[in-house]
C-alpha cells in the first residue's frame, strides 16, 4: 500500500497491535513539553503521519489508569525510531515517563486514527500548544515525500517562548515551499520577545486571509478540547464550512 507521495506504508497494520519498544532518550522542548524517543529497529512499526498510539505501564497506579494516548510526533520517513511529545504534569503516568531508563521496554499499541493527510486536497492545520504533534509529523512527512500541495499551519500559543518545534518548523518552511506557517500569540505581553507577528485567538479574519486562493482545503484541528471547539465554531459559523470539511483530534485530558 502506498501513502501520499508514493511512500510505502507497509500495508494497513492490524488495529492496536501490541509491541514493546525500547526507550532511547528524552529531549526537553519549549515550556513543559518533552519529547520521548523509542527505537523501532527490532520491531518494525508502520504508521501514517498524524496517527496516535496507546502507551501503557501495566503495573502503574494512577487515578486515570495505566494508559494514555499520544500522537506520534515523528514522521514515518524518520526511520529507526518514533517519538511522542507531551506536556509534562505531576500525574503518576508522566512521573513514570520521566524516570524511564535507556533500553527499558515500554508497552505500545498502535497505530490508530484517521487524522491523516488526504491525497490531493490542500490542508489547513489549526494547532494549539501541544496540539502541534500530528502536524509536526505531517509536515515533515510531506517534505520528505515531496508532496506538493498547499499546507497551511496556523499555530496558536500564549507566548513565542511556548512555540513547540519552532526551529524545526522554520526549517521545514525553508525546505518545502508548499508550507506556510502563521503563528498567532494570545498573550504577547507575557513574553520577553518583542512579537511582530499575528496576535490573538484564531478568528474569521485570520482564516479568510490564510486560505485566500486555496481551493477546497480540508481543515485539521488538534489540541486541547476547549481550543479545538473554539476553532471549530469559527470555521462553521464564520467560514461557513460543513463538518465534512473538518478533521478533529481532541487531546482529552487537557
Ligand atoms: C487522540 C489523542 C491524541 C493525543 N495526543 C497527545 C499528544 O500528542 N501529546 C500529549 O501531551 N497529549 C496527547 N493526548 C492527551 C493524553 O492522552 C493525556 O490525556 C494528557 O497528556 C494528560 O495526561 P496526564 O497524565 O498529564 O494528566 P492526567 O492525569 O491524565 O489528568 C488530565 C486531567 O484530567 C483530570 N483528571 C485526573 N484524574 C481524573 C479522574 N479520575 N476523573 C476525571 N478527571 C480526572 C486532571 O485533573 C487533569 O485536569 C492525546 C489524547 C488523545 C485522545
Amino acid at each position: 500500500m502506498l501513502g501520499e507521495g508514493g511512500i510505502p506504508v507497509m500495508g494497513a497494520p492490524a488495529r492496536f497491535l501490541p509491541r514493546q519498544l525500547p526507550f532511547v532518550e528524552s529531549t526537553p522542548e519549549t515550556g513543559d513539553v518533552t519529547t520521548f524517543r523509542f527505537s523501532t529497529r527490532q520491531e518494525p512499526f508502520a504508521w501514517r503521519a498524524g496517527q496516535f498510539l496507546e502507551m501503557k505501564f501495566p503495573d502503574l497506579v494512577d487515578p486515570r489508569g495505566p494508559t494514555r494516548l499520544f500522537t506520534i510526533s515523528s514522521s514515518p520517513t524518520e526511520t529507526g525510531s518514533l517519538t511522542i511529545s507531551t506536556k509534562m504534569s505531576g500525574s503518576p503516568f508522566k512521573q513514570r515517563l520521566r524516570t524511564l531508563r535507556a533500553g527499558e521496554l515500554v508497552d505500545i499499541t498502535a497505530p490508530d486514527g484517521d487524522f491523516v493527510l488526504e491525497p490531493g486536497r490542500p490542508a489547513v492545520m489549526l494547532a494549539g500548544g501541544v496540539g502541534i504533534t500530528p502536524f509536526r509529523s505531517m509536515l515533515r512527512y510531506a517534505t520528505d515525500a515531496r508532496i506538493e500541495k498547499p499546507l497551511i499551519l496556523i499555530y496558536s500559543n500564549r507566548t513565542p517562548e511556548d512555540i513547540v518545534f519552532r526551529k524545526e518548523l522554520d526549517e521545514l518552511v525553508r525546505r518545502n515551499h508548499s508550507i506556510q506557517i502563521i503563528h498567532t500569540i494570545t498573550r504577547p505581553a507575557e513574553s520577553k520577545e518583542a512579537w511582530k507577528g499575528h496576535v490573538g485567538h484564531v478568528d474569521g479574519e485570520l482564516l479568510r486571509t490564510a486560505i485566500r486562493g486555496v481551493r477546497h482545503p480540508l481543515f485539521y484541528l488538534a489540541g486541547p478540547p476547549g481550543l479545538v471547539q473554539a476553532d471549530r465554531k469559527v470555521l462553521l459559523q464564520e467560514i461557513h464550512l460543513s463538518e465534512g470539511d473538518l478533521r478533529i483530534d481532541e487531546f482529552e485530558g487537557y
Side-chain angles (χ1 to χ4, degrees):
M1 180 176 155
L2 293 181
E4 199 170 6
I7 296 256
V9 292
M10 296 194 262
R15 270 171 79 92
F16 284 101
L17 207 61
R19 328 273 171 91
Q20 287 201 312
L21 299 184
F23 168 66
V24 178
E25 60 182 7
S26 64
T27 312
E29 307 287 353
T30 42
D32 45 9
V33 175
T34 299
T35 291
F36 294 85
R37 180 177 302 280
F38 299 87
S39 174
T40 54
R41 290 199 187 281
Q42 319 293 333
E43 278 272 9
F45 200 92
W47 77 94
R48 294 181 70 187
Q51 287 190 307
F52 63 84
L53 52 75
E54 185 185 76
M55 189 176 290
K56 181 175 187 176
F57 296 112
D59 55 349
L60 185 73
V61 179
D62 181 301
R64 280 199 59 213
T67 62
R68 296 288 185 278
L69 301 180
F70 296 111
T71 306
I72 304 172
S73 55
S74 54
S75 158
T77 49
E78 297 170 284
T79 52
S81 67
L82 63 77
T83 62
I84 61 134
S85 304
T86 184
K87 222 169 147 162
M88 298 309 283
S89 69
S91 76
F93 189 96
K94 297 284 168 79
Q95 292 307 320
R96 184 77 181 80
L97 260 182
R98 208 189 295 274
T99 55
L100 280 175
R101 292 180 310 271
E104 199 174 331
L105 295 175
V106 177
D107 287 6
I108 288 174
T109 52
D112 203 7
D114 58 5
F115 198 79
V116 294
L117 286 172
E118 195 156 291
R121 282 181 85 175
V124 179
M125 308 164 177
L126 276 72
V130 74
I132 191 67
T133 48
F135 304 131
R136 191 255 171 228
S137 178
M138 288 178 183
L139 293 175
R140 175 66 196 253
Y141 175 79
T143 301
D144 290 343
R146 300 185 189 280
I147 292 170
E148 289 185 5
K149 65 178 183 182
L151 298 165
I152 300 164
L153 168 68
I154 303 175
Y155 188 17
S156 174
N157 280 284
R158 288 182 179 177
T159 69
E161 289 86 348
D162 291 321
I163 299 172
V164 187
F165 306 131
R166 189 173 180 179
K167 267 192 182 162
E168 265 180 279
L169 293 172
D170 288 348
E171 179 61 25
L172 288 171
V173 171
R174 270 193 293 276
R175 280 181 60 198
N176 183 347
H177 297 298
S178 302
I179 297 176
Q180 186 198 347
I181 299 182
I182 301 167
H183 291 286
T184 184
I185 296 301
T186 56
R187 298 190 192 174
E190 292 176 14
S191 167
K192 291 196 186 84
E193 183 179 326
W195 180 251
K196 297 192 183 72
H198 196 276
V199 168
H201 291 282
V202 170
D203 58 19
E205 195 188 326
L206 172 60
L207 282 164
R208 273 189 290 275
T209 310
I211 64 175
R212 194 162 292 145
V214 181
R215 287 191 57 222
H216 198 43
L218 192 54
F219 289 76
Y220 295 80
L221 285 62
L227 197 128
V228 164
Q229 287 307 325
D231 288 348
R232 177 176 162 271
K233 201 169 153 193
V234 175
L235 288 167
L236 296 179
Q237 295 183 356
E238 296 190 41
I239 309 296
H240 308 295
L241 295 172
S242 65
E243 295 282 0
D245 292 315
L246 311 184
R247 292 271 173 88
I248 291 184
D249 225 5
E250 289 189 25
F251 288 6
E252 61 187 40
Y254 288 122

